[in-house]
């Protein structure tokens, strides 16, 4: 069930119960997903979307300098940092839309990054399992869509899996080809 909210400036906002962000306020923290023995912390982070799309605000400017200013509506590319991996979605179309990067998030070497200082939660899943969830994400939830399946939806779904799962979900396991039985005559 979703709620449609009409804002006076003519913007229509669609909010579903699975959203982790409502009017800029984060929902839940490590208290909702506390540490247990053997659990690994994970963090939410962002990359400036304007930099990723248009090269604005790059760490090493490639265009004319401008006076400092702040964008009034700051959309960002959201990702999860977990066990030395950056888990993200939306950089490509199709199966490759969900990626695991090991050094920086997509364009993180040229665009400003923000990593939340406190863990969002703690996961009992192995890094290999979580990597499998990311790699099989489009098979489970479909391709990128700017309104219904974007990077923010991705981190909320992966966070839910990381927080609530005790064992690796079957769909996160590597795709092992099925063996065809050989029939001898």
């Amino acid at each position: 069930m979703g709620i449609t909210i009409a804002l006076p400036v003519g913007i229509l906002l669609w909010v579903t119960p699975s959203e982790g962000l409502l009017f800029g306020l984060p929902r839940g923290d490590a208290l909702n997903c506390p540490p247990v023995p053997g659990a690994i912390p994970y963090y939410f982070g962002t990359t400036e979307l304007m930099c990723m799309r248009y090269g604005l605000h790059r760490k090493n400017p490639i265009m004319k300098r401008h006076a400092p200013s702040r964008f009034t509506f700051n959309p960002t590319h959201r990702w999860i940092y977990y066990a030395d991996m950056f888990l993200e979605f939306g950089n490509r179309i199709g199966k490759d839309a969900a990626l695991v990067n090991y050094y920086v998030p997509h364009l993180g070497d040229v665009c400003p990054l923000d990593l939340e200082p406190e863990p969002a939660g703690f996961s009992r899943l192995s890094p290999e399992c979580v990597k499998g969830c990311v790699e099989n994400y489009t098979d489970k939830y479909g391709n990128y869509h700017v309104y219904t399946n974007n990077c923010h939806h991705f981190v909320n779904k992966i966070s839910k899996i990381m927080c609530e799962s005790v064992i690796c979900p079957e769909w996160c396991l590597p795709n092992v080809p099925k063996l065809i039985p050989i029939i001898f005559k």
Side-chain angles (χ1 to χ4, degrees):
M1 181 181 129
I3 302 167
T4 303
I5 301 170
L7 301 175
V9 292
I11 299 172
L12 187 62
L13 178 66
W14 177 258
V15 180
T16 64
S18 67
E19 297 299 318
L21 191 65
L22 180 61
F23 302 115
L25 302 173
R27 184 175 72 185
D29 56 18
L31 296 176
N32 298 84
C33 191
V36 294
I40 302 171
Y42 64 92
Y43 301 79
F44 288 124
T46 59
T47 306
E48 278 191 17
L49 193 58
M50 294 300 286
C51 175
M52 294 179 74
R53 295 277 294 171
Y54 307 110
L56 301 176
H57 308 116
R58 285 186 181 248
K59 290 178 182 175
N60 298 317
I62 57 171
M63 54 184 62
K64 182 181 168 191
R65 292 178 56 163
H66 297 279
S69 65
R70 303 293 181 267
F71 196 61
T72 57
F73 177 72
N74 191 12
T76 58
H77 172 64
R78 189 163 297 276
W79 37 266
I80 292 176
Y81 180 70
Y82 176 69
D84 296 325
M85 299 183 296
F86 295 92
L87 316 173
E88 52 188 322
F89 179 67
N91 302 318
R92 294 178 173 81
I93 301 298
K95 181 128 176 92
D96 291 337
L99 294 174
V100 175
N101 286 314
Y102 291 97
Y103 301 107
V104 293
H106 183 63
L107 292 176
D109 52 343
V110 295
C111 294
L113 304 175
D114 183 32
L115 181 68
E116 292 180 4
E118 299 296 322
F122 294 83
S123 180
R124 293 169 279 201
L125 299 179
S126 70
E128 294 77 23
C129 172
V130 173
K131 182 180 178 197
C133 294
V134 172
E135 291 172 345
N136 295 323
Y137 180 83
T138 55
D139 293 339
K140 176 80 172 165
Y141 296 106
N143 288 323
Y144 178 89
H145 186 276
V146 70
Y147 298 117
T148 61
N149 195 22
N150 61 35
C151 60
H152 303 284
H153 296 100
F154 167 80
V155 298
N156 291 338
K157 288 174 183 167
I158 295 295
S159 176
K160 182 175 175 57
I161 293 162
M162 291 172 69
C163 181
E164 296 177 0
S165 298
V166 178
I167 60 170
C168 191
E170 187 176 321
W171 66 271
C172 296
L173 299 172
N175 292 329
V176 178
K178 304 260 190 271
L179 297 176
I180 301 172
I182 299 173
I183 302 173
F184 294 99
K185 292 185 182 181

